[in-house]
């Protein structure tokens, strides 16, 4: 078995008196889509933000490609090759696709931007993902559809040679057909060998793209299972009750926040 | 044909020329009127009449080229309009289904895909999901597909799209073509995945200039598609292509086809997983990730994939000797193989194959279309009858 690209052990996180994450163990395998599911407030987004370096963790260990690392901020995470795509489309409307993809990391020398080089790299990345729905890489992001924007946000992750991509409800703001396009792209990311984490509330989407499913219940990891081994019903039970048959937390009723 | 045929009437000639022109634009992309006239061997005024007719019905548009090539008034650039004719391409694989709407000129306008598990692999489920998704995609893009092409990893009867056997999908005698066309209400053509991969490489990929080529694909199973003298080699009923079931290792592993030691059992996805010490049902991405991390160290590649490379080369020597292609394209999972493996295979084939030596070295390449080859091939299959009708 390949070693996990990202391995979290015993992660704890509190906001003041609220203990949000309890001893979370979570692994991401290269080339697989891991769906992170859970009810509202279960800690999904917090976990992703901890990985991305936005929230510091209180205790626990993080291993990246087998080596222990300390993530103190988003820059550390980006440096390791961890990229996050948020549901609220973190792109700048007034910039074009190339400017967005290189925002904050522009290429150039002697104080001048190398526009041609950046444009070429952006186009190459979109082609490598078989994205053919965007006409020109100089289109302003404001004029793109929601699906196209998420495509750009995801392509950004590929451009920067990321090894792990975390997608926090990438399809929440999208229509049905655009959701399909984005999920197709998510799968192609994994097929290129990246480790992909997908947060989603839609069970159909999860079953269609994910290779494994991690269920959070009230800040605890209820179960990490292979998609092919479970049914919709079992996953819903894990989300709502924290256990299903032999799976899940031994005594969910004693779980406290 | 030996019997004399009736003379062609002017409108038939015109239709023939129009189809030829459209096919040229569809395959080679935008061209100037002058180059169309030169390459089709038609008079400039004939080209003008044809292009005007097509422009009027919105199938092509004309534009002044941005770059001038010489003195004089520039010849107008003729561009195929993707939305003028849209087909639906469907690639049914063992672990997933991918589909796309493809416009005239070969642009992918929209796409969708989903994983298959044991329950959703049932033909009825797959057809239902395809129908749902087809409607979504067509509504979103506001187009009406005029044809459908389907790629299936199995033995397919071309005439009516009956899937005789698709062992890895566990399908037997599924009337896929007629069932799909009943649901989608457009003509549906079904083809073998490797054959369509070969078609895609021939039309849009690495084999555009090669008239004799073989496309070898590895997904869960291994198959081959053959283009001979510029045309697909079909055999009786169109069943050519089960190259994965040549026996290369007598007494080897048992194969579901009834033989022992088929090529597929030595170079298929399961064999690759064994070589990489992964479980045999590891997801595709995990295999790709492992191959990529392995590629960094040449010794590790030689050590772990040495035997795999040997079996791959051995089968290819037979393929090259038997079919005499000028080019072999390795597709799908094989595109993830480290360059070192492909180089070694090329070297061995060149050394051991009589035919390869005779033609000065058969070229062996990784597919530039990668995972999309079969999808694009399915689109070309659907375009075949459409081009003469638009």
């Amino acid at each position: 078995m390949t070693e996990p690209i990202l391995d979290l052990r015993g992660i704890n996180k509190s906001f003041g008196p609220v203990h949000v994450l309890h001893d979370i163990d979570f692994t991401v395998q290269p080339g697989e889509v891991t769906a992170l599911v859970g009810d509202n407030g279960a800690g999904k987004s917090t976990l992703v933000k901890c990985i991305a370096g936005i929230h510091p963790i209180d205790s626990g260990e993080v291993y990246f490609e087998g080596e222990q690392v300390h993530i103190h901020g988003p820059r550390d995470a980006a440096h390791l090759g961890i990229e996050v795509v948020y549901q609220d489309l973190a792109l700048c409307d007034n910039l074009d696709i190339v400017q967005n993809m290189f925002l904050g990391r522009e290429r150039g020398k002697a104080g001048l931007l190398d526009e041609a080089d950046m444009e070429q790299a952006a186009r190459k990345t979109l082609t490598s993902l078989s994205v053919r729905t965007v006409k020109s890489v100089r289109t302003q992001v404001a004029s793109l559809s929601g699906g196209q924007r998420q495509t750009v946000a995801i392509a950004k992750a590929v451009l920067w040679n990321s090894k792990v991509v975390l997608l926090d409800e990438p399809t929440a703001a999208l229509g049905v057909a655009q959701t399909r396009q984005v999920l197709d792209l998510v799968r192609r990311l994994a097929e290129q060998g990246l480790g992909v984490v997908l947060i989603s509330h839609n069970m159909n989407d999860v079953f269609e793209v994910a290779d494994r499913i991690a269920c959070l219940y009230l800040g605890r990891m209820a179960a990490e299972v292979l998609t092919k081994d479970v049914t919709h019903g079992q996953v819903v039970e894990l989300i709502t009750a924290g256990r299903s048959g032999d799976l899940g937390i031994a005594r969910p009723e004693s779980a406290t926040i | 044909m030996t019997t004399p045929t009736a003379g062609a009437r002017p409108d038939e000639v015109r239709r023939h020329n129009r189809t030829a022109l459209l096919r040229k634009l569809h395959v080679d992309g935008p061209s100037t009127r002058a180059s169309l006239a030169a390459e089709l061997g038609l008079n400039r005024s004939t080209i003008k009449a044809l292009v005007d007719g097509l422009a009027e019905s919105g199938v092509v548009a004309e534009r002044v080229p941005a770059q001038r090539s010489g003195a004089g008034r520039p010849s107008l650039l003729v561009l195929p309009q993707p939305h003028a004719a849209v087909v639906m391409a469907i690639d049914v694989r063992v672990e997933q289904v991918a589909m796309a709407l493809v416009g005239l000129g070969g642009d992918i306008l929209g796409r969708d895909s989903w994983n298959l598990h044991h329950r959703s692999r049932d033909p009825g489920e797959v057809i239902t999901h395809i129908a749902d998704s087809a409607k979504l995609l067509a509504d979103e893009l506001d187009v009406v597909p005029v044809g459908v092409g389907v790629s299936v990893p199995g033995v397919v009867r071309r005439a009516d799209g009956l899937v005789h056997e698709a062992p890895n999908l566990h399908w037997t005698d599924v009337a896929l073509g007629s069932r799909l066309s009943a649901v989608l209400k457009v003509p549906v053509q079904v083809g073998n995945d490797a054959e369509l991969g070969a078609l895609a490489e021939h039309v849009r990929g690495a084999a555009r200039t090669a008239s004799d080529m073989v496309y070898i694909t590895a997904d869960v199973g291994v198959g081959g598609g053959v283009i001979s003298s510029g045309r697909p080699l079909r055999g009786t009923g169109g069943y050519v292509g089960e190259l994965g079931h040549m026996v290369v290792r007598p007494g080897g592993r048992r194969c579901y086809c009834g033989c022992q030691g088929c090529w597929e059992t030595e170079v298929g996805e399961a064999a690759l997983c064994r070589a990489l010490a992964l479980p045999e049902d590891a997801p595709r991405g995990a295999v790709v990730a492992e191959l990529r991390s392995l590629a960094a160290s040449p010794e590790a590649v030689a050590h772990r994939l040495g035997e795999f490379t040997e079996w791959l080369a051995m089968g290819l020597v037979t393929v090259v000797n038997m079919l005499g292609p000028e080019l072999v394209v390795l597709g799908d999972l094989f595109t993830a193989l480290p360059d070192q493996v492909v180089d070694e295979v090329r070297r061995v084939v060149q050394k051991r194959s009589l035919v390869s030596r005779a033609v000065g070295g058969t070229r062996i390449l990784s597919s530039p279309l990668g995972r999309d080859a079969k999808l694009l091939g399915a689109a070309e299959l659907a375009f075949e009858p459409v081009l003469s009708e638009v």
Side-chain angles (χ1 to χ4, degrees):
Chain A
M1 197 63 213
T2 31
E3 70 174 32
I5 190 154
L6 183 67
D7 189 1
L8 308 185
R9 295 180 199 163
I11 300 292
N12 279 285
K13 172 72 192 169
S14 301
F15 292 115
V18 186
H19 200 163
V20 188
L21 299 177
H22 289 264
D23 294 328
I24 298 281
D25 294 333
F26 180 56
T27 56
V28 180
Q29 298 286 348
E32 290 189 13
V33 179
T34 306
L36 189 57
V37 298
D39 208 347
N40 290 331
K44 305 183 297 290
S45 294
T46 308
L47 180 58
V48 164
K49 285 177 181 162
C50 285
I51 299 173
I54 294 166
H55 297 319
I57 52 174
D58 296 344
S59 66
E61 292 166 348
V62 180
Y63 293 84
F64 190 82
E65 293 186 313
E67 283 177 30
Q68 190 168 6
V69 293
H70 299 278
I71 300 174
H72 297 293
R75 206 169 276 274
D76 289 352
H79 190 70
L80 287 172
I82 301 174
E83 195 79 21
V84 192
V85 176
Y86 296 99
Q87 68 184 71
D88 45 7
L89 310 162
L91 296 174
C92 298
D93 267 356
N94 56 337
L95 301 178
D96 67 29
I97 294 177
V98 179
Q99 287 167 327
N100 262 295
M101 285 174 81
F102 283 89
L103 193 59
R105 298 178 267 196
E106 286 84 356
R107 283 185 199 168
K109 42 185 172 234
L112 291 171
L113 295 179
D114 191 345
E115 292 283 352
D117 182 41
M118 291 195 284
E119 190 173 318
Q120 207 174 14
R123 199 174 294 129
K124 209 172 124 200
T125 307
L126 288 171
T127 317
S128 79
L129 288 168
S130 311
V131 174
R132 291 157 217 236
T133 45
V134 180
K135 281 247 150 43
S136 157
V137 287
R138 287 297 179 186
T139 316
Q140 283 224 340
V141 164
S143 66
L144 296 180
S145 72
Q148 288 172 328
R149 287 180 195 214
Q150 282 301 29
T151 306
V152 172
I154 294 170
K156 191 171 161 181
V158 176
L159 176 71
W160 292 103
N161 272 330
S162 305
K163 291 174 180 149
V164 176
V165 181
L166 309 165
L167 302 130
D168 191 352
E169 297 198 46
T171 59
L174 303 181
V176 189
Q178 294 190 335
T179 299
R180 311 300 322 153
Q181 308 247 16
V182 170
L183 291 179
D184 181 67
L185 189 56
V186 167
R187 194 186 350 260
R188 268 180 282 141
L189 279 184
E191 278 167 8
Q192 293 201 352
L194 280 72
V196 180
V197 179
L198 174 75
I199 295 186
S200 179
H201 277 295
N202 186 320
M203 277 305 120
N204 278 328
D205 293 357
V206 166
F207 272 83
E208 278 178 17
V209 278
D211 297 299
R212 58 178 77 222
I213 302 177
C215 287
L216 280 174
Y217 177 75
L218 295 180
R220 291 158 206 271
M221 188 58 74
E224 276 189 83
V225 290
L226 292 176
T227 311
K228 59 174 188 243
D229 296 341
V230 292
T231 61
H232 280 49
Q234 283 176 306
V235 177
V236 172
E237 267 185 77
L238 283 169
I239 293 171
T240 52
R243 68 176 287 107
S244 164
D246 300 337
L247 295 168
I249 308 167
R251 296 183 58 207
E253 58 279 6
S254 68
T256 48
I257 293 188
Chain B
M1 224 177 280
T2 51
T3 48
T5 51
R9 291 202 313 274
D11 57 330
E12 285 170 5
V13 173
R14 194 179 159 78
R15 174 167 286 272
H16 174 87
N17 287 342
R18 186 179 149 109
T19 308
L21 189 142
L22 258 186
R23 185 177 302 274
K24 162 113 185 62
L25 287 174
H26 172 63
V27 172
D28 295 339
S31 322
T32 59
R33 282 187 185 186
S35 65
L36 284 173
E39 288 186 38
L40 294 173
L42 292 173
N43 198 303
R44 294 186 71 139
S45 56
T46 314
I47 294 290
K48 178 178 186 307
L50 288 173
V51 171
D52 284 351
L54 287 170
E56 200 166 298
S57 47
V59 180
V60 301
E62 289 183 281
R63 216 174 53 195
V64 178
Q67 275 183 330
R68 306 232 357 213
S69 52
R73 192 161 70 99
S75 182
L76 286 176
L77 195 63
V78 184
L79 304 107
Q81 296 296 293
H83 285 266
V86 176
V87 299
M88 182 168 291
I90 303 168
D91 178 15
V92 180
R93 293 163 172 275
V94 180
E95 274 147 7
Q96 65 165 251
V97 178
M99 58 193 284
L101 285 174
V102 181
L104 189 65
D107 286 341
I108 292 183
L109 305 173
R111 56 201 302 165
D112 187 13
S113 61
W114 59 92
N115 286 353
L116 294 181
H117 307 289
H118 33 270
R119 286 178 302 278
S120 57
R121 203 169 282 151
D122 173 65
E125 292 276 326
V126 171
I127 290 169
T128 313
H129 202 144
I130 288 175
D132 288 350
S133 201
K135 187 168 164 12
L136 274 177
L137 279 176
D139 287 353
E140 164 89 2
L141 293 160
D142 198 17
V143 292
V144 181
V146 290
V148 176
V150 190
S151 146
V152 178
V155 180
V156 179
R157 187 163 72 201
R158 280 297 275 280
D160 59 353
L162 176 86
V163 180
H164 278 293
E165 267 186 81
N168 288 317
L169 281 168
H170 304 293
W171 287 9
T172 322
D173 289 329
V174 177
L176 188 66
S178 47
R179 285 173 73 177
L180 267 179
S181 64
V183 182
L184 300 172
K185 301 189 176 61
V186 281
V188 175
Q189 322 240 6
V190 186
N192 171 269
D193 62 338
E195 185 186 336
L196 296 181
L199 179 65
E201 292 295 341
H202 187 54
V203 177
R204 310 217 170 267
R208 299 179 67 131
T209 54
S211 53
D212 292 284
M213 63 86 69
V214 178
Y215 174 82
I216 310 274
T217 168
D219 190 26
V220 173
V222 174
V226 187
I227 301 274
S228 175
S229 312
R231 300 193 156 273
L233 189 70
R234 294 250 169 81
T236 173
Y239 302 140
V240 160
E242 293 302 334
L243 298 180
H245 296 282
M246 349 180 247
V247 176
V248 292
R249 187 175 195 170
R253 280 166 190 271
R254 186 157 289 285
C255 180
Y256 56 75
C257 73
C259 297
Q260 251 180 310
C262 290
W263 195 28
E264 178 171 315
T265 63
E266 298 299 337
V267 299
E269 186 170 16
L272 195 54
C273 287
R274 286 198 302 271
L276 296 170
L278 293 168
E280 287 194 6
D281 58 349
R284 169 62 60 89
V287 179
V288 173
E290 184 69 20
L291 284 171
R292 191 164 297 175
S293 67
L294 205 60
S297 137
E299 300 85 42
V301 172
H303 175 64
R304 306 270 294 278
L305 293 177
E307 198 187 336
F308 176 88
T309 310
E310 178 63 21
W311 285 115
L312 182 58
M314 184 168 162
L316 280 175
V317 167
T318 308
V319 168
V320 169
N321 280 343
M322 206 159 59
L323 296 163
E326 58 178 291
L327 172 67
V328 177
V329 179
L330 300 175
D332 228 322
L333 184 57
F334 287 147
T335 55
L337 289 174
D339 290 342
Q340 190 189 338
V341 170
V342 181
D343 291 343
E344 173 67 13
V345 166
R346 194 180 295 129
R347 196 185 62 76
V348 172
V349 171
Q350 208 161 129
K351 202 172 84 188
R352 289 199 214 146
S353 159
L354 274 170
V355 174
S356 177
R357 286 201 300 265
V359 300
T362 302
R363 288 186 295 145
I364 298 178
L365 296 175
S366 257
S367 159
L369 301 174
R371 199 106 161 105
D372 280 344
K374 293 162 188 176
L375 200 59
L376 293 174
E380 292 311 316
L381 180 68
F383 264 120
E384 208 77 8
V386 167
L387 287 177
S388 55
E389 285 165 16
V390 178

